[in-house]
Amino acid sequence: MSVVRNERGKFAKNGQIQKTKRVENLVYNRQNCVTQTVEDEDDIHVVPDISIDHPYVKENTTTNCFDPVFQNEIVIDLAEKDYNVDFDLDFTNIPSDLVDLSYCRFVVELDVLAKQLQQCTKCCTSLHLHNSLGVRPLGLSGILFVQCTECGNIDRIKLGKTHYRTEVKRGNGIFDINTKVATEMIHAGIGETQLNNLLAAMNIHCINSKTLKEREIEIGEIIESNAEASEKKFLLEEAVEAITLNEDSQQQKGIHASTDTCWQKKGSGRAYNSLSGVASLIGQKTGKVLHHTMRSGDCRLCNIANRKGEVPRKHKCSKNWTGSAKAMEPDMVVQMIRDLKEQNVPISELAGDDDSTGYNRAIKEMPDLHMDKTSDRNHVTKNIVNKLYSLKPKHKELSVMVINAITRNFAYMVDQNKGNQAGIENGLRASIEHIFGEHAHCMQSWCGYLKDKTTYKHSSLPHGKDLKSLDLKSDLEKLFLDKLVPNSKKLANLASSQANESLNMTIATKAPKYKHYSASSSLSYRVSSAVLQKNEGYSYVSEVHESSGLSPGAETLKRSLKLNRKRDRKSTVSKTKEGKKQRLLLKKKRSSKNSGMEVREGKTYESEIGIEHPDQEEIPEVMEIDEVDKEAITVAPLLVFDLETTGLSRSSDIIQLAAYSKDSTFDTYILPSQPISKEATNITKITVRGNNMLYNSNPVNFKYPHQALTDFITFLSEFSCKPILVGHNIKRFDCHILYNALRFYNMYSEFCSHIIGFVDSLDVFKHVVPGLSSYSQTSLVETLLDETYAAHNALEDTRLLFRLITCTSQGNVISDNITGFIFSPNYPHNCHIQQDNLKTFSEAINCKAVSKATALKAAHSNLRLSHLKLSIERNGIDGLRALLSELTNQGKVRVTSCKKVIQKLYDFLTRET
């Protein structure tokens, strides 16, 4: 006999329907997966082999019971359970979808579980978890089946609290956690897929999509109801604050509000084809949402029915719009104005952008409406900036710096003339004439030229000089005088719809633009959630749960209080003068950093750039200063080294290399590849005759350079901790000689890996023992040690220098001051690059286009003159300025930010040859 169920899968009482053919086929196919035969006294029947789907099931450890209703098997693992009782398990009360306790995790309310385990419902004996037969999953929670060891009764233990949507309390009820997870899904802005992915990753039992949708509808209707109540509450508060007291009587002028619209799909600029949009109305006094409305041109259930050629079943249809996406905004604005008018709350002033005809349609449809339209300040400024940038390619003088100056002057002028139409008209004329050196319309209060005509310079224009281009002046007059002066009344009464923009961002987090929620009631729930978060704060989640008869949740309240405090603190700081300055400073830094990087990198992303031949040369970054490991310094041994060379140039060869520390010594003579100069021979007493090396005319053992350097690196590697190499005047000479030798044999990287860094003892002694007439090593030995010695023997020099740095002078141990003078092993390499860079600036230095100090700083920052030319090719003088004034990782300017220096360099690099 076929099982009789209703359309929702439950056993039907009325309107019975037969099992569909598709379900019968599924049952038939499952019954044919037969690999086992079960025999008992009364019958022989076959059951499916569960090892096909569950290969981890142990052999001979399960009892398989067949459920004729669900056509499914029941698997009870008895391998690890020892029931020492005289009764048999009663499988008639065990459902088919029971899972073992180790199958996955569930959300369990411990207090609810503990209370139910106190006693058996039949014999009042305490129940134990280790006697459980399994769990029937119901979403994130479930029902635990525990058998009593005394009477054998199987108790059904709920893992959490439940509730009922109707007064008829029948069945297991709805688990609270399943409803709350639907709330969190809406609140967090995720869908069924993301939610179940999160649960599955934690091995928590997933919730069925159909069940989740039912719970979403259950809690979503309450969210909508709470949002509507919140809007009415703040609408009343806004209306009360709008009532003004006159001498005779109370007179209600109406409220001031702002409006804006967001769409659930981004427009491309050419096409706006979003299927839904949301408009909001926010009060100026309260800053809260007073009303919102939605338009949607799609409904999933209707679409499915239409594809099947059927009449859609009764449902809450989300489709309420058939026009274009652009026409949604004016229609929603008109509806919100009409709704408030019907509630006897008129709007006297409506702020918003000028991108729609909503205000005009409202006036046309409601002629008795006494409402003024004010423009949004941010949109007005943004439109002006866009128009200025559209003029930039046409005028060389209109640089980014000039555009920023014009925009800043416009914003200042608007702030100073709020409510003053005549002041706006005069300010628009003055703002253009002022930057071209005409001050007939300027005011003494702000124009520096009128205060001091002899020394005045513009603070925000290139070189502080007036602009000269008459063509640019003509185009600016067309923009500011021909278009903005006729709208001076509107500019004198600008408002802000920033609160609406903030709400739109919140809506976008709960209904992301890359997800399609418009075809169901889900979008309405998410928008209402955003409204509640704006009006009531994050505590709205607990309030929604309370409204639905659920517990508010201690942790939910704790989290909401923390987020509310964070939001209030951020809001308070953002309104202060210091907070606004900080935002502008950070924005300026980000803009400057991004401009510098784009100039260095060249064009990397542009339409069809891959088809063309793009500029692929990249300007190098600033050389970062290598930081020395401070912990390693504290245990690093000091190793004094010295070189004797064939001459005084940095291209000389090493003829003796010696190193000395407390416990070890290294000394070797090296056969040079170039002759030793007479001056070097007189100083070092080292000569080369044929294949022999002599010191003081006595033959000495020597090594070839590669072998000597290899032995030195081996000597360094034998230290238990990396040493610090100390030498006298090495920063200017010895380091570079050693670098050239090691680089020639490709050994410098290996050498650097065995040392922490270098210290020039000359700098140390100048700091510790200031005021000496000479800081040569021989003079220091005579002054501090009161000795004389035969200098310019590398080994003897290292021994005496080690004694010097470990002696005490003026109460200080000199070696204790060494750590502050450590420089990186890469220092010689960087200097080599910097010298090559500096040579490229020779012509600019000779022409006095740049000082040697500035050129040296540019070379040190890894720039060549060709890099400066490349920055100009990419973005003109703005590119040169962005490159030279780029901030380093230490927060310093890379080369210079001086406008005069940059302009002089620009003129030199763009001169006609």
Side-chain angles (χ1 to χ4, degrees):
M1 178 180 178
S2 300
V3 179
V4 180
R5 296 192 178 197
N6 65 8
E7 59 183 0
R8 299 187 64 183
K10 297 181 180 179
F11 291 103
K13 290 186 176 180
N14 299 317
Q16 297 178 342
I17 59 174
Q18 297 295 322
K19 187 185 297 184
T20 64
K21 198 167 186 178
R22 184 179 64 85
V23 175
E24 290 178 350
N25 290 335
L26 288 174
V27 174
Y28 173 78
N29 292 334
R30 187 167 184 114
Q31 288 175 338
N32 283 321
C33 295
V34 178
T35 58
Q36 298 183 46
T37 303
V38 179
E39 300 184 14
D40 54 31
E41 297 179 356
D42 301 325
D43 194 8
I44 299 177
H45 58 275
V46 293
V47 296
D49 184 6
I50 62 172
S51 64
I52 295 174
D53 298 326
H54 306 278
Y56 51 83
V57 177
K58 301 176 184 178
E59 295 182 2
N60 301 324
T61 60
T62 59
T63 298
N64 297 323
C65 303
F66 200 71
D67 188 341
V69 175
F70 291 92
Q71 300 289 343
N72 201 353
E73 70 276 5
I74 307 167
V75 182
I76 312 273
D77 194 344
L78 304 178
E80 299 180 0
K81 300 184 186 303
D82 184 15
Y83 295 101
N84 209 4
V85 293
D86 297 332
F87 48 80
D88 297 326
L89 291 175
D90 183 8
F91 295 123
T92 58
N93 295 326
I94 302 176
S96 60
D97 52 358
L98 208 64
V99 299
D100 192 70
L101 295 184
S102 61
Y103 176 75
C104 66
R105 294 183 176 91
F106 294 91
V107 178
V108 180
E109 297 184 52
L110 296 178
D111 58 334
V112 176
L113 179 64
K115 186 176 180 180
Q116 295 176 88
L117 288 175
Q118 287 180 351
Q119 60 183 18
C120 172
T121 56
K122 189 173 182 180
C123 67
C124 299
T125 304
S126 297
L127 301 174
H128 301 281
L129 279 175
H130 66 265
N131 292 328
S132 61
L133 303 178
V135 181
R136 184 189 181 192
L138 294 172
L140 273 68
S141 192
I143 298 176
L144 180 69
F145 285 75
V146 182
Q147 186 166 35
C148 178
T149 56
E150 293 295 329
C151 64
N153 181 54
I154 299 177
D155 285 85
R156 297 157 56 90
I157 308 297
K158 294 182 179 181
L159 297 181
K161 297 175 185 175
T162 59
H163 64 280
Y164 297 87
R165 294 192 65 182
T166 61
E167 295 181 357
V168 180
K169 298 182 179 180
R170 186 167 48 206
N172 296 321
I174 301 169
F175 279 95
D176 292 4
I177 186 62
N178 292 339
T179 302
K180 287 189 174 184
V181 80
T183 309
E184 187 56 31
M185 181 181 69
I186 296 172
H187 175 60
I190 59 177
E192 181 268 333
T193 302
Q194 292 91 338
L195 175 63
N196 278 329
N197 286 347
L198 175 66
L199 297 174
M202 296 185 291
N203 198 30
I204 297 176
H205 193 273
C206 300
I207 184 169
N208 182 269
S209 59
K210 183 178 179 181
T211 302
L212 185 60
K213 186 62 181 179
E214 291 176 353
R215 302 286 72 76
E216 182 189 28
I217 295 172
E218 174 192 355
I219 205 67
E221 292 174 351
I222 297 173
I223 290 176
E224 286 181 327
S225 176
N226 284 18
E228 185 178 353
S230 176
E231 289 175 343
K232 288 182 178 180
K233 178 181 70 173
F234 286 108
L235 177 61
L236 178 61
E237 184 177 331
E238 187 80 26
V240 170
E241 292 190 16
I243 297 176
T244 56
L245 292 175
N246 289 345
E247 295 181 359
D248 301 329
S249 61
Q250 290 186 347
Q251 180 182 1
Q252 183 176 356
K253 292 184 177 180
I255 65 172
H256 292 191
S258 61
T259 183
D260 196 25
T261 300
C262 67
W263 285 267
Q264 273 57 62
K265 183 180 178 181
K266 292 182 179 179
S268 64
R270 294 181 299 275
Y272 292 87
N273 55 357
S274 177
L275 291 172
S276 61
V278 181
S280 60
L281 203 64
I282 295 181
Q284 187 185 58
K285 300 287 186 181
T286 60
K288 304 296 183 180
V289 184
L290 309 180
H291 192 27
H292 80 275
T293 187
M294 295 172 50
R295 293 291 180 270
S296 177
D298 195 17
C299 176
R300 184 174 290 109
L301 291 177
C302 292
N303 292 341
I304 293 173
N306 290 337
R307 283 199 299 269
K308 294 181 179 180
E310 301 175 352
V311 177
R313 63 177 174 83
K314 186 178 180 181
H315 65 282
K316 185 179 179 180
C317 185
S318 60
K319 185 174 182 179
N320 61 358
W321 182 250
T322 55
S324 67
K326 291 183 177 180
M328 288 181 184
E329 182 170 6
D331 188 71
M332 289 187 287
V333 170
V334 171
Q335 181 191 330
M336 290 190 297
I337 295 172
R338 183 182 289 109
D339 290 346
L340 262 64
K341 183 181 179 183
E342 291 175 355
Q343 298 180 54
N344 295 321
V345 183
I347 301 175
S348 61
E349 184 177 297
L350 183 65
D353 57 46
D354 300 318
D355 297 339
S356 77
T357 59
Y359 170 77
N360 308 82
R361 291 193 181 186
I363 296 298
K364 182 179 180 181
E365 294 184 17
M366 293 170 277
D368 58 335
L369 196 64
H370 302 287
M371 181 178 67
D372 294 327
K373 171 68 169 62
T374 56
S375 298
D376 176 64
R377 173 178 171 169
N378 290 339
H379 279 78
V380 170
T381 305
K382 181 180 177 181
N383 290 336
I384 291 175
V385 171
N386 290 339
K387 290 175 182 177
L388 289 173
Y389 270 98
S390 66
L391 294 174
K392 186 175 181 294
K394 183 180 176 182
H395 302 283
K396 182 180 178 181
E397 200 173 27
L398 190 62
S399 63
V400 174
M401 184 179 182
V402 174
I403 291 175
N404 291 337
I406 296 173
T407 306
R408 194 180 303 113
N409 291 344
F410 174 79
Y412 177 81
M413 182 271 300
V414 170
D415 280 342
Q416 295 300 313
N417 293 282
K418 288 182 178 179
N420 184 0
Q421 183 177 350
I424 291 289
E425 294 177 359
N426 184 75
L428 288 171
R429 292 184 175 89
S431 61
I432 299 302
E433 295 174 354
H434 177 77
I435 60 179
F436 285 90
E438 301 173 8
H439 305 281
H441 292 89
C442 293
M443 303 294 291
Q444 184 78 26
S445 59
W446 58 267
C447 181
Y449 177 82
L450 297 180
K451 295 178 182 178
D452 188 354
K453 300 180 180 180
T454 57
T455 61
Y456 175 71
K457 288 185 178 181
H458 295 283
S459 60
S460 54
L461 294 179
H463 310 297
K465 296 181 180 179
D466 300 328
L467 300 182
K468 302 296 183 182
S469 174
L470 296 179
D471 290 338
L472 175 60
K473 183 180 179 183
S474 175
D475 284 343
L476 292 177
E477 286 176 346
K478 290 178 182 178
L479 172 60
F480 281 85
L481 304 185
D482 297 349
K483 294 184 178 181
L484 296 183
V485 168
N487 294 311
S488 56
K489 182 179 180 180
K490 181 178 291 186
L491 293 176
N493 296 282
L494 294 178
S496 175
S497 60
Q498 189 64 34
N500 300 80
E501 297 284 359
S502 175
L503 176 65
N504 294 344
M505 289 294 294
T506 305
I507 294 173
T509 62
K510 298 184 183 298
K513 294 183 183 293
Y514 63 91
K515 293 292 182 183
H516 182 55
Y517 294 109
S518 306
S520 69
S521 57
S522 182
L523 178 62
S524 177
Y525 304 150
R526 293 166 186 271
V527 172
S528 297
S529 171
V531 170
L532 281 174
Q533 184 171 308
K534 176 75 174 178
N535 285 4
E536 309 294 339
Y538 292 92
S539 57
Y540 85 91
V541 177
S542 296
E543 294 170 1
V544 165
H545 287 161
E546 285 187 291
S547 300
S548 60
L550 308 179
S551 62
E555 194 65 25
T556 308
L557 287 169
K558 180 181 177 182
R559 175 68 178 171
S560 63
L561 289 173
K562 180 180 179 180
L563 293 177
N564 283 338
R565 285 196 299 267
K566 183 178 179 180
R567 186 176 77 165
D568 294 342
R569 185 166 59 249
K570 183 178 179 180
S571 176
T572 302
V573 172
S574 64
K575 293 177 182 177
T576 61
K577 185 177 181 179
E578 291 75 15
K580 294 177 181 179
K581 288 176 65 177
Q582 181 67 15
R583 286 202 307 275
L584 291 174
L585 180 62
L586 291 175
K587 182 179 179 181
K588 184 179 179 181
K589 284 183 177 180
R590 286 195 300 269
S591 177
S592 175
K593 183 179 179 180
N594 190 57
S595 299
M597 288 189 295
E598 288 182 353
V599 168
R600 283 195 287 103
E601 295 163 354
K603 289 184 179 180
T604 56
Y605 184 84
E606 192 176 86
S607 179
E608 297 184 350
I609 193 172
I611 301 175
E612 303 171 0
H613 297 284
D615 174 14
Q616 296 182 356
E617 183 178 354
E618 187 168 342
I619 300 173
E621 295 180 282
V622 186
M623 284 186 180
E624 294 187 2
I625 300 175
D626 297 327
E627 295 184 359
V628 183
D629 188 353
K630 295 181 180 179
E631 294 183 1
I633 291 175
T634 58
V635 296
L638 299 179
L639 178 64
V640 178
F641 84 103
D642 190 36
L643 307 176
E644 300 301 338
T645 61
T646 58
L648 297 179
S649 71
R650 289 185 177 181
S651 60
S652 303
D653 285 351
I654 302 173
I655 56 177
Q656 186 184 9
L657 172 59
Y660 182 89
S661 69
K662 185 178 180 181
D663 302 317
S664 57
T665 304
F666 179 86
D667 182 29
T668 185
Y669 289 92
I670 304 174
L671 185 66
S673 61
Q674 57 181 291
I676 305 174
S677 66
K678 290 182 180 180
E679 293 80 3
T681 299
N682 293 334
I683 293 173
T684 63
K685 307 295 188 295
I686 299 174
T687 58
V688 176
R689 293 177 183 174
N691 291 328
N692 296 319
M693 286 191 75
L694 302 116
Y695 175 70
N696 274 337
S697 300
N698 297 317
V700 293
N701 295 325
F702 64 87
K703 296 179 180 178
Y704 291 101
H706 184 272
Q707 182 183 1
L709 295 173
T710 302
D711 291 345
F712 184 53
I713 292 175
T714 304
F715 170 74
L716 294 174
S717 66
E718 292 173 352
F719 282 82
S720 58
C721 298
K722 291 182 181 180
I724 301 172
L725 289 187
V726 183
H728 204 68
N729 199 31
I730 61 172
K731 201 168 189 178
R732 298 159 187 81
F733 186 73
D734 297 65
C735 280
H736 304 282
I737 300 293
L738 184 60
Y739 166 74
N740 289 334
L742 289 166
R743 189 186 64 162
F744 182 81
Y745 294 104
N746 295 322
M747 299 168 67
Y748 195 72
S749 298
E750 177 69 15
F751 167 77
C752 291
S753 66
H754 294 292
I755 66 172
I756 290 179
F758 295 104
V759 169
D760 192 336
S761 57
L762 179 63
D763 297 333
V764 177
F765 284 110
K766 285 183 178 180
H767 174 74
V768 179
V769 193
L772 297 181
S773 58
S774 174
Y775 285 93
S776 66
Q777 186 168 323
T778 54
S779 178
L780 288 170
V781 170
E782 185 177 352
T783 303
L784 300 178
L785 300 180
D786 196 20
E787 295 180 15
T788 59
Y789 77 105
H792 300 295
N793 177 274
L795 183 60
E796 191 64 20
D797 285 345
T798 56
R799 286 173 179 168
L800 266 296
L801 184 57
F802 188 84
R803 288 181 59 193
L804 279 172
I805 64 176
T806 54
C807 73
T808 304
S809 177
Q810 299 182 0
N812 294 322
V813 179
I814 295 176
S815 59
D816 292 343
N817 297 272
I818 279 180
T819 56
F821 294 88
I822 297 177
F823 55 94
S824 168
N826 290 322
Y827 171 77
H829 173 68
N830 294 340
C831 283
H832 180 78
I833 295 175
Q834 291 161 4
Q835 288 299 319
D836 288 345
N837 293 339
L838 186 59
K839 292 176 184 178
T840 64
F841 287 90
S842 57
E843 183 184 356
I845 295 172
N846 294 335
C847 294
K848 296 185 179 181
V850 64
S851 66
K852 188 172 182 179
T854 303
L856 186 61
K857 193 173 181 181
H860 283 184
S861 71
N862 212 9
L863 289 177
R864 304 170 71 90
L865 192 66
S866 60
H867 296 147
L868 306 188
K869 293 180 180 178
L870 189 58
S871 68
I872 294 174
E873 291 174 7
R874 287 173 175 171
N875 200 20
I877 191 172
D878 292 326
L880 181 64
R881 182 183 299 107
L883 180 62
L884 297 180
S885 61
E886 185 180 13
L887 295 180
T888 66
N889 60 333
Q890 297 177 329
K892 298 180 180 179
V893 175
R894 181 171 188 169
V895 180
T896 181
S897 58
C898 178
K899 300 173 185 176
K900 185 176 180 181
V901 173
I902 295 172
Q903 185 66 41
K904 200 171 182 181
L905 250 176
Y906 175 78
D907 294 339
F908 169 76
L909 295 172
T910 56
R911 72 191 191 284
E912 294 183 1
T913 56

